[in-house]
Amino acid sequence: MSGEAQFVLALLPALRLLLYAFTDRLGANPIEFITRSTGDWTLYFLCITLAVTPLRRFSNWNWLIKLRRMLGLYAFFYVCLHFTTFLWFDHFFDLPEMIKDVVKRPFITVGFIAFVMLLPLALTSTNGMIRRLGGKRWQWLHRSIYLIAMLGILHFWWMRAGKHNFEKPILFGAIIAALLLARVVFALRSRCGQQATPQKREVTPTPT
């Protein structure tokens, strides 16, 4: 898949929201519709991004790795839309009121923490930042994506708790758990493979 095609496909959910807004199809509660849609797509893109590496290792489709960066940035794009909806339509850019809401309501607190944690990942997604941080430090930083995804699911779970509707949060949780398990399995296999590889001993020639 070309970068242009990936860019357009990943933008379709946002374009759909715009179309629905201009054609008055956002339902009786437009703010809730936009909030849920952008939140759902944030989790979709987080799951798809995390699925790239396991799928590449299972299938040997190395071209998939080229898609991961843009997919991760689209997860950040949709969480920005999600947060902007909260800040703009719910609080009309009243920051003190927004902060009070973040502190008062645990599910918003967790979602806000996940959003803040995504910021450094988005800012360090360039090749230049990888070189500046160094490969190992960059990898350690970006492994926090699993924690961010779990916080996002917890945010979603608490939001649905009032209506006792947990189907989607459970589905997202199962997907993230499976992807995390796959990462652990790959790490263990790699470690076992390194230990099983016989180390070459240096042979000193004996005088004849």
Side-chain angles (χ1 to χ4, degrees):
M1 182 187 294
S2 67
E4 294 79 7
Q6 182 191 358
F7 181 86
V8 171
L9 286 174
L11 199 59
L12 287 178
L15 296 176
R16 170 178 169 268
L17 277 178
L18 280 176
L19 176 63
Y20 278 22
F22 281 114
T23 55
D24 196 22
R25 295 164 61 190
L26 293 177
N29 192 338
I31 297 175
E32 182 179 358
F33 186 95
I34 296 171
T35 301
R36 290 191 176 182
S37 181
T38 53
D40 284 353
W41 279 103
T42 299
L43 289 173
Y44 290 146
F45 276 102
L46 281 175
C47 290
I48 295 169
T49 304
L50 291 173
V52 168
T53 298
L55 184 57
R56 178 181 66 85
R57 288 179 175 174
F58 277 124
S59 64
N60 290 321
W61 294 345
N62 292 323
W63 56 269
L64 286 171
I65 205 68
K66 297 178 181 179
L67 308 180
R68 187 171 59 184
R69 181 181 300 178
M70 189 177 289
L71 290 169
L73 287 173
Y74 261 106
F76 182 69
F77 169 70
Y78 282 103
V79 81
C80 283
L81 292 181
H82 188 65
F83 176 72
T84 302
T85 303
F86 170 68
L87 177 61
W88 184 0
F89 297 118
D90 279 351
H91 295 90
F92 300 99
F93 297 101
D94 188 337
L95 290 177
E97 283 300 315
M98 185 206 75
I99 293 170
K100 285 181 184 177
D101 210 9
V102 168
V103 173
K104 184 179 177 181
R105 303 166 75 182
F107 87 94
I108 295 179
T109 307
V110 169
F112 185 73
I113 291 170
F115 170 67
V116 171
M117 289 179 68
L118 267 174
L119 286 170
L121 272 63
L123 293 173
T124 57
S125 63
T126 63
N127 291 332
M129 288 304 300
I130 296 173
R131 287 193 297 269
R132 288 174 191 171
L133 288 173
K136 287 187 178 180
R137 280 187 292 180
W138 186 89
Q139 284 181 350
W140 276 108
L141 174 63
H142 280 253
R143 281 173 186 165
S144 64
I145 191 68
Y146 285 95
L147 176 59
I148 292 167
M150 287 187 282
L151 289 173
I153 293 165
L154 180 59
H155 165 73
F156 194 21
W157 177 280
W158 277 346
M159 189 195 73
R160 289 292 184 94
K163 297 181 179 179
H164 301 283
N165 185 356
F166 300 114
E167 290 181 7
K168 272 192 174 182
I170 290 172
L171 176 61
F172 280 122
I175 292 170
I176 295 298
L179 293 173
L180 183 57
L181 179 61
R183 187 181 185 93
V184 171
V185 169
F186 286 131
L188 290 174
R189 282 183 180 177
S190 176
R191 184 174 299 179
C192 291
Q194 289 174 358
Q195 291 175 352
T197 303
Q199 295 181 351
K200 293 182 179 179
R201 292 186 299 174
E202 189 177 345
V203 179
T204 337
T206 56
T208 55

